[in-house]
Amino acid sequence: MARKFFVGGNWKCNGTTEEVKKIVTTLNEAEVSHDVVEVVVSPPFVFLTLVKSLLRSDFHVAAQNCWVRKGGAFTGEVSAEMLVNLGIPWVIIGHSERRALLNESNEFVGDKVAYALSQGLKVIACIGETLEQRESGSTMAVVAAQTKAIADKVTNWDNVVLAYEPVWAIGTGKVATPAQAQEVHCELRKWLNQNVGADIAASVRIIYGGSVNGANCKELAGQPDVDGFLVGGASLKPEFVDIIKSATVKKN
Ligand SMILES: O=C(CO)COP(=O)(O)O
């Protein structure tokens, strides 16, 4: 099965109403065919309905997190049921900023992914090693353990996109080289093949995140196991359109 190129824009904790409207206008005017690329933008919770109402219908919206189980007495949380109720199709789970700053463990992330899927959401599940882990040679062990915690709880991977985001590349301007990204994506696909199944390994999209911009996206997109991007800083700028258009590299 061909893996459709996927470009996500993670706006993180950024934006005002005016800025959000401006970004959406830029996206709506972009000459991009959804035949070659699936585009999903992820504003903060408070802007989800605004973005959904203004954004072109061939692009979709993701929340940046959701609660691990059914909603209830969990002050400050937003449940998967609420996202479904608002017609939000996607959610990002396990971003390294949440893993590091909010102590989300591999198991907690696995539980969240499983619960969100069970409610009908599609999930962008994030994994990735720190600089220290890379330098000590444990990159694959780390990302395999993160992926295993998801695989332990998930049987149907149809609605999962795996985002490999090395922590040392996030927001640092220090992008992984195309070879570094390809190496990990290829190993992850092998891991999925051995531990989850051949069909799933062949069909799951593994996207790269970490300092992707308009200048480096094409070469990264040219790697056989790079199926798209999860973009932070550059997704707030007009160059996000160039990143979306890097999908055409796969067509050549
Ligand atoms: O964390 C990221 C996307 O989720 C990547 O962020 P940057 O593109 O700003 O490095």
Side-chain angles (χ1 to χ4, degrees):
M1 195 178 92
R3 300 186 297 267
K4 191 173 189 175
F5 205 79
F6 183 102
V7 178
N10 177 7
W11 296 357
K12 307 191 179 183
C13 189
N14 289 296
T16 61
T17 303
E18 288 318 306
E19 284 164 353
V20 162
K21 284 182 180 166
K22 217 169 136 192
I23 299 168
V24 172
T25 303
T26 304
L27 290 173
N28 288 349
E29 287 168 357
E31 285 176 30
V32 179
S33 168
H34 59 268
D35 293 336
V36 293
V37 59
E38 186 168 1
V39 178
V40 175
V41 292
S42 189
F45 284 126
V46 291
F47 297 125
L48 278 170
T49 46
L50 173 67
V51 173
K52 187 176 155 55
S53 69
L54 299 177
L55 189 67
R56 55 197 282 179
S57 61
D58 58 335
F59 288 6
H60 296 288
V61 179
Q64 294 175 16
N65 177 43
C66 65
W67 178 236
V68 63
R69 279 179 280 278
K70 190 172 161 50
F74 306 107
T75 304
E77 291 294 330
V78 170
S79 69
E81 294 89 339
M82 289 170 190
L83 298 177
V84 171
N85 180 249
L86 292 180
I88 307 300
W90 285 91
V91 62
I92 296 173
I93 292 179
H95 193 279
S96 66
E97 286 150 13
R98 298 193 63 84
R99 288 178 186 262
L101 302 172
L102 296 149
N103 293 323
E104 293 197 1
S105 68
N106 288 354
E107 290 65 34
F108 189 67
V109 169
D111 283 337
K112 272 195 186 185
V113 172
Y115 190 74
L117 290 172
S118 78
Q119 296 308 300
L121 291 170
K122 299 181 192 186
V123 173
I124 302 166
C126 303
I127 58 172
E129 83 287 1
T130 62
L131 183 60
E132 203 184 4
Q133 289 163 335
R134 172 160 283 261
E135 288 179 343
S136 69
S138 52
T139 296
M140 256 330 284
V142 169
V143 296
Q146 291 168 333
T147 309
K148 182 177 184 302
I150 296 166
D152 283 346
K153 309 263 167 63
V154 168
T155 44
N156 186 338
W157 285 70
D158 290 352
N159 290 334
V160 180
V161 168
L162 205 52
Y164 169 58
E165 301 203 293
V167 178
W168 48 271
I170 294 178
T172 58
K174 197 168 180 259
V175 66
T177 64
Q180 282 173 324
Q182 170 58 23
E183 184 186 19
V184 178
H185 286 221
C186 178
E187 287 297 321
L188 275 169
R189 214 178 289 290
K190 274 192 213 156
W191 189 93
L192 289 170
N193 189 32
Q194 282 161 10
N195 296 280
V196 180
D199 290 351
I200 290 167
S203 61
V204 166
R205 287 169 294 182
I206 306 176
I207 62 175
Y208 168 81
S211 296
V212 176
N213 61 34
N216 60 30
C217 58
K218 274 198 183 152
E219 213 189 329
L220 285 160
Q223 302 302 308
D225 287 294
V226 174
D227 303 317
F229 301 116
L230 188 56
V231 184
S235 72
L236 299 161
K237 302 178 190 163
E239 73 184 280
F240 187 56
V241 174
D242 300 325
I243 300 171
I244 294 169
K245 287 182 176 171
S246 71
T248 55
V249 168
K250 293 288 191 207
K251 288 264 155 194
N252 298 328

